[in-house]
Amino acid sequence: MKFASFAQFIAMGHHGPFVWSAYAIGTVVVIWNVAAPWLARRRYLQQEARRLRRERQA
Amino acid sequence: MSWTWFHKWGSPKWFYALAGRLQPWLALAAALLLAVGVVWGLAFAPPDYQQGNSFRIIYIHVPAAMLAQSCYVLMALAGVVSLVWKMKVADIAIHCAAPVGASMTALALLTGAIWGKPTWGAWWVWDARLTSMLILLFLYAGVIALGNAIGNRDSAGKACAVLSIVGVVNIPIIKYSVQWWSTLHQGATFSLTEKPAMPAEMWLPLLFTVLGFYCLFGAVLLARMRLALLQREARSGWAQAAVRQALGGGLAP
């Protein structure tokens, strides 16, 4: 650990807002990249499930 | 020489199965590499002697920027394959890679701006590296918009392939911009021929996050491509079987 305390780790030597905002944006981008295809696949499968149910009843 | 390995890529069913097998391993590798790289880079790498702790932004900025460019090269290669051999998988690869590449370019630009403020004293400067990266973002936006604007799938695929191939001229401009023009931006961190200019405890975490981003890209691209294949091949037997299998067989006729 290169920091003496947790408070110093958060402060990042006066660069805290820069470092943490960059990592926050990075986290958001990664989460969007993972979630977007996962949600789209779920939506498509639900839609197909509805279609298959309809076809079976008809 | 046998070309069967190449012709396999023309089979959506084969690609769907292969992607499904690769995807979990890529996702696992990405999670591990990113976790190690980020913790190492944030907490254990030494601060830079000039930039202090703000240099830790490098562990997202450089992987995002590298991936943004690699992704475009991949799209251009897929564009050639799509135009020459009319391979459906290549066409889908362009369509699915573009949003991921655009997000990585945006991330590189945003983290670069955040890093620029404490280091150069400015969020943005109109120098060659930053401007050519902004053009890359516009190229991605162009591919996405073109794909959505053209209703006919074959025409849309062709237009996107052409734009991907033409736009790849921007990649060497980005790469060599720091050598061709005077710039605030520093040179390349990694090179194939020279040792990095930083100590190992600084560049090793970067290697982890770079590899992590590439694995993440692989996993995310395969996930997008698998869904696109299911949707485009919805009328074929294998896609219907795959949907039924994903639904757990409860709805099987």
Side-chain angles (χ1 to χ4, degrees):
Chain A
M1 193 77 174
K2 289 287 164 186
F3 298 93
S5 69
F6 187 70
Q8 276 184 26
F9 175 63
I10 295 299
M12 284 279 161
H14 307 300
H15 285 140
F18 299 105
V19 173
W20 294 117
S21 61
Y23 275 82
I25 296 169
T27 310
V28 169
V29 169
V30 167
I31 288 174
W32 175 80
N33 268 303
V34 172
W38 187 75
L39 290 173
R41 181 183 168 85
R42 212 177 59 157
R43 222 171 18 243
Y44 178 68
L45 287 176
Q46 281 170 350
Q47 183 191 319
E48 284 298 286
R50 270 198 302 275
R51 193 180 61 78
L52 287 171
R53 261 199 303 272
R54 262 201 316 274
E55 277 176 11
R56 236 180 354 176
Q57 282 164 0
Chain B
M1 186 177 151
S2 166
W3 282 88
T4 38
W5 65 271
F6 188 71
H7 291 298
K8 270 188 191 162
W9 290 87
S11 157
K13 182 189 173 188
W14 174 81
F15 185 85
Y16 184 85
L18 175 75
R21 277 199 305 276
L22 283 176
Q23 203 197 326
W25 295 106
L26 284 169
L28 180 70
L32 291 175
L33 287 164
L34 283 176
V36 171
V38 165
V39 171
W40 193 350
L42 272 176
F44 296 95
D48 185 77
Y49 79 105
Q50 276 179 325
Q51 301 182 16
N53 287 303
S54 69
F55 101 98
R56 294 181 199 282
I57 294 170
I58 201 174
Y59 300 115
I60 330 177
H61 178 74
V62 167
M66 285 174 76
L67 189 52
Q69 296 168 69
S70 307
C71 177
Y72 204 90
V73 173
L74 177 82
M75 282 165 57
L77 292 174
V80 172
V81 173
S82 161
L83 288 182
V84 175
W85 290 284
K86 312 267 180 289
M87 252 182 210
K88 205 177 279 178
V89 172
D91 181 34
I92 288 177
I94 299 178
H95 176 74
C96 294
V100 184
S103 76
M104 287 301 149
T105 314
L107 178 59
L109 285 168
L110 285 169
T111 52
I114 293 169
W115 195 1
K117 186 64 186 166
T119 313
W120 305 336
W123 298 103
W124 181 265
V125 284
W126 288 102
D127 87 344
R129 173 55 73 82
L130 279 69
T131 310
S132 54
M133 247 346 236
L134 188 64
I135 292 172
L136 183 66
L137 183 64
F138 293 158
L139 282 169
Y140 275 122
V143 172
I144 295 168
L146 206 54
N148 290 336
I150 303 176
N152 181 299
R153 192 170 279 159
D154 288 343
S155 316
K158 244 177 230 166
C160 290
V162 170
L163 181 56
S164 302
I165 294 167
V166 172
V168 84
V169 72
N170 190 37
I171 298 298
I173 297 180
I174 298 175
K175 170 96 180 100
Y176 294 108
S177 57
V178 288
Q179 291 161 27
W180 291 345
W181 294 286
S182 76
T183 176
L184 284 172
H185 201 284
Q186 64 199 57
T189 308
F190 287 135
S191 129
L192 288 175
T193 48
E194 283 165 55
K195 273 184 65 168
M198 7 169 148
E201 47 189 341
M202 276 170 125
W203 65 256
L204 267 175
L206 182 57
L207 190 64
F208 272 80
T209 54
V210 167
L211 293 175
F213 265 68
Y214 275 88
C215 288
L216 177 78
F217 174 69
V220 165
L221 180 64
L222 290 181
R224 280 177 180 269
M225 287 179 71
R226 266 162 64 88
L227 176 61
L229 280 170
L230 273 191
Q231 289 172 328
R232 286 198 195 185
E233 297 284 294
R235 273 190 235 150
S236 65
W238 75 263
Q240 286 170 2
V243 166
R244 274 198 299 274
Q245 199 193 353
L247 289 172
L251 287 138

